[in-house]
């Protein structure tokens, strides 16, 4: 990789997330890019007039190649990635350029791994998606949990508690659009995974079973909880599979849930989710969802996204409830005969998590590749964050920079009672 390249180029810098991640900027419109550069400079009281601007368009393959050839890492903020992500990945792999993004779209991420993992390894570049909220807390939170377990983890249950105070939407239209297309094409995952993961992971005992759809969880003050249907579990399992296949580590079983507070809220979530799911199955339904986001999201989504004050007041905690054993398996055995006796609770928390600190985490992932690629596995590949950054200082840096806080809450070993 040429040493005269820019360290980081942010593609999609005029978008909602891109504006919060500006360093070296790229996009389709010169005037809009210059305006972003000026406005961000005013916010932080710095002169950003010397930051280079690169014109590139996802519909112009040659412009993407020229952009990628000028960077060591492309930070891709141009979603939905199902529509716009592959062209950038392709250009980066061909140009020997690392690539990070904040996709939460399982079909896109797993398809990129299927199609570009071998080429990325041959090119010596890392392609890492899901580098923001909520997958960085979930995936690296699981790595953190394992690191502090002091034994063998059998299973982890995560519980997400998120709050945002103040009027206005909670998510940007791009996030809403990604969710619509992700659910509409969820049926693609079975065939895709059959091609990507040709061998099943070994069965871990005891099996971590799903909780009831509606249940109370003491770990979140006995609040009413539902399954969390985001990409967290698929991202974590990609990392766990990678660690099993490359380092023979026992894969952790994981289930993900979210707190909704009350039974009434749970009922409303289920009804709204059922309507949303039904509409995504038909073109007319998707058209309605995309054309009238405020109406069909009950004000949750908008083209403007959450106002700055609401973003800054938003906060989350993701709890990790793990079970396992203090001692490794006896030689020659492949399963434990006794039930898990050791327990550990950890958590990851943060403010302005959906966009502000997501952008900060995304950039920190990029600089981690620049500074610590020798600590990353192999010589490249298409990886989930936990697989890519598990042996780097990323968790410590996220803590130190107050982006996401990783903490041990409590530990207990019933075998010692």
């Amino acid at each position: 990789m040429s040493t005269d390249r820019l360290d980081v180029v942010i593609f999609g810098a005029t978008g909602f997330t891109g504006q919060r991640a500006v360093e070296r900027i790229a996009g389709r419109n010169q005037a809009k890019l210059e305006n972003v550069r000026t406005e961000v400079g005013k916010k932080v009281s710095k002169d950003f007039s010397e930051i280079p601007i690169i014109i590139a368009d996802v519909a112009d393959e040659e412009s993407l190649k020229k952009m990628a050839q000028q960077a060591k890492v492309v930070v891709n903020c141009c979603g939905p990635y199902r529509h716009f992500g592959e062209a950038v990945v392709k250009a980066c792999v061909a140009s020997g350029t690392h690539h990070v993004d904040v996709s939460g779209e399982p079909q896109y991420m797993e398809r990129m791994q299927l199609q570009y993992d071998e080429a990325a390894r041959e090119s010596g570049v890392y392609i890492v998606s899901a580098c923001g909220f909520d997958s960085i807390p979930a995936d690296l939170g699981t790595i953190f949990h394992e690191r502090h377990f002091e034994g063998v983890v059998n299973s982890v249950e995560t519980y997400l508690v998120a709050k945002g105070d103040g009027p206005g939407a909670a998510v940007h239209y791009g996030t809403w659009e990604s969710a619509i297309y992700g659910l509409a094409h969820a049926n693609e995952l079975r065939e895709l995974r059959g091609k990507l993961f040709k061998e099943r992971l070994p069965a871990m005992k005891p099996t971590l079973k799903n909780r009831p759809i509606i249940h109370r969880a003491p770990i979140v003050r006995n609040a009413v909880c539902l399954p969390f249907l985001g990409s967290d579990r698929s991202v974590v399992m990609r990392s766990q599979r990678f660690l099993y296949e490359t380092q023979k580590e026992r894969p952790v079983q994981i289930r993900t849930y979210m707190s909704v507070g009350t039974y009434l809220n749970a009922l409303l979530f289920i009804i709204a989710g059922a309507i949303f799911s039904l509409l995504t199955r038909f073109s007319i339904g998707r058209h309605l969802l995309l054309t009238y986001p405020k109406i069909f999201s009950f004000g949750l989504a908008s083209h403007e996204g959450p106002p700055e004050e609401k973003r800054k007041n938003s906060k989350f905690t993701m709890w990790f409830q793990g079970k396992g054993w203090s001692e490794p398996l006896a030689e020659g055995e492949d399963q434990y005969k006794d039930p898990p006796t050791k327990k550990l609770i950890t958590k990851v928390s943060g403010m302005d998590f959906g966009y502000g600190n997501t952008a900060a985490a995304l950039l920190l992932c990029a600089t981690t590749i620049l500074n610590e690629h020798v600590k990353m596995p192999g010589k490249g590949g298409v990886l989930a964050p936990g697989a890519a950054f598990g042996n780097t200082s990323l968790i410590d840096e996220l803590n130190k920079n107050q982006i996401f806080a990783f903490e041990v809450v409590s530990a207990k070993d019933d075998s010692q009672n």
Side-chain angles (χ1 to χ4, degrees):
M1 185 181 295
S2 174
T3 57
D4 61 356
R5 294 189 182 197
L6 298 167
D7 284 343
V8 175
V9 168
I10 297 171
F11 179 60
T14 58
F16 194 77
T17 301
Q19 291 183 47
R20 284 142 194 87
V22 172
E23 186 170 333
R24 307 289 193 271
I25 59 180
R28 292 182 300 175
N29 187 293
Q30 177 84 21
K32 286 184 177 180
L33 289 169
E34 290 175 353
N35 183 60
V36 168
R37 185 173 63 180
T38 300
E39 291 303 313
V40 172
K42 288 179 181 178
K43 282 188 176 182
V44 297
S45 300
K46 291 185 178 181
D47 181 9
F48 284 167
S49 61
E50 297 302 314
I51 289 181
I53 287 176
I54 301 169
I55 303 300
D57 191 326
V58 290
D60 184 345
E61 185 174 325
E62 192 59 33
S63 74
L64 293 178
K65 286 183 179 179
K66 289 180 179 179
M67 173 190 71
Q69 288 165 359
Q70 297 180 64
K72 295 178 183 177
V73 184
V74 166
V75 175
N76 186 4
C77 298
C78 189
Y81 295 95
R82 159 179 286 276
H83 300 318
F84 307 124
E86 181 177 358
V88 186
V89 170
K90 183 179 179 181
C92 286
V93 171
S95 303
T97 303
H98 305 297
H99 173 284
V100 295
D101 65 46
V102 290
S103 173
E105 306 163 41
Q107 299 99 320
Y108 163 77
M109 292 185 282
E110 294 177 28
R111 186 166 60 83
M112 291 304 97
Q113 183 175 343
L114 176 65
Q115 295 180 200
Y116 293 98
D117 182 60
E118 183 176 351
R121 284 188 277 112
E122 291 176 354
S123 187
V125 299
Y126 293 99
I127 309 296
V128 189
S129 291
C131 292
F133 178 84
D134 41 75
S135 291
I136 282 284
D139 201 8
L140 287 178
T142 302
I143 298 294
F144 177 85
H145 192 93
E146 288 184 274
R147 185 183 297 173
H148 290 272
F149 194 83
E150 296 181 355
V152 179
V153 183
N154 178 60
S155 62
V156 171
E157 294 172 303
T158 70
Y159 283 87
L160 174 64
V161 182
K163 296 180 180 179
D165 298 326
V171 300
H172 185 260
Y173 179 81
T175 306
W176 174 253
E177 186 178 6
S178 294
I180 291 169
Y181 284 110
L183 191 56
H185 297 275
N187 60 338
E188 298 172 2
L189 278 171
R190 180 182 293 274
E191 181 180 357
L192 178 59
R193 287 172 177 166
K195 296 176 181 178
L196 180 58
F197 308 124
K198 297 187 182 301
E199 295 183 11
R200 296 175 64 89
L201 285 172
M204 296 293 106
K205 304 292 184 178
T207 302
L208 177 62
K209 297 180 180 179
N210 285 315
R211 301 271 182 178
I213 292 177
I214 301 177
H215 65 279
R216 288 189 177 275
I219 195 172
V220 286
R221 299 182 179 180
N222 222 32
V224 176
C225 299
L226 296 172
F228 180 68
L229 302 180
S231 62
D232 288 359
R233 186 171 184 272
S234 67
V235 171
V236 172
M237 290 312 300
R238 282 177 61 213
S239 285
Q240 291 298 312
R241 174 179 283 273
F242 179 85
L243 295 172
Y244 169 75
E245 291 176 346
T246 60
Q247 301 176 32
K248 301 304 177 186
E249 293 187 13
R250 177 189 172 99
V252 173
Q253 302 175 77
I254 186 165
R255 300 291 178 188
T256 58
Y257 304 98
M258 63 178 183
S259 166
V260 295
T262 67
Y263 283 110
L264 176 60
N265 288 345
L267 181 61
L268 293 175
F269 262 97
I270 291 172
I271 293 172
I275 294 172
F276 181 83
S277 178
L278 180 63
L279 289 173
T280 63
R281 297 181 185 181
F282 307 99
S283 58
I284 183 62
R286 293 192 293 273
H287 175 76
L288 290 171
L289 291 170
L290 292 167
T291 306
Y292 306 104
K294 287 185 179 179
I295 293 175
F296 286 96
S297 69
F298 303 99
L300 180 69
S302 75
H303 286 278
E304 301 77 22
E308 186 170 356
E309 191 63 27
K310 183 167 186 172
R311 283 196 302 105
K312 290 183 176 180
N313 289 332
S314 66
K315 57 185 178 180
F316 84 96
T317 301
M318 186 176 288
W319 296 87
F320 295 74
Q321 184 171 261
K323 295 180 180 180
W325 301 270
S326 298
E327 301 296 330
L329 273 170
E331 188 174 350
E333 295 186 357
D334 59 359
Q335 295 287 353
Y336 285 88
K337 296 178 180 178
D338 299 320
T341 56
K342 186 177 177 65
K343 301 173 185 176
L344 178 69
I345 294 175
T346 60
K347 68 177 183 179
V348 182
S349 58
M351 303 287 290
D352 191 6
F353 55 92
Y355 296 98
N357 275 341
T358 277
L362 176 63
L363 288 176
L364 201 50
C365 289
T367 57
T368 299
I369 293 177
L370 287 174
N371 299 327
E372 301 185 49
H373 58 273
V374 295
K375 298 180 182 178
M376 296 173 68
K379 295 182 179 179
V382 181
L383 303 171
F389 302 119
N391 291 327
T392 71
S393 66
L394 180 56
I395 290 175
D396 294 334
E397 291 298 315
L398 289 166
N399 266 325
K400 185 170 72 176
N401 289 280
Q402 300 181 339
I403 298 171
F404 299 132
F406 294 73
E407 304 172 62
V408 173
V409 179
S410 68
K412 182 180 180 182
D413 191 342
D414 293 337
S415 67
Q416 300 175 359
N417 292 341

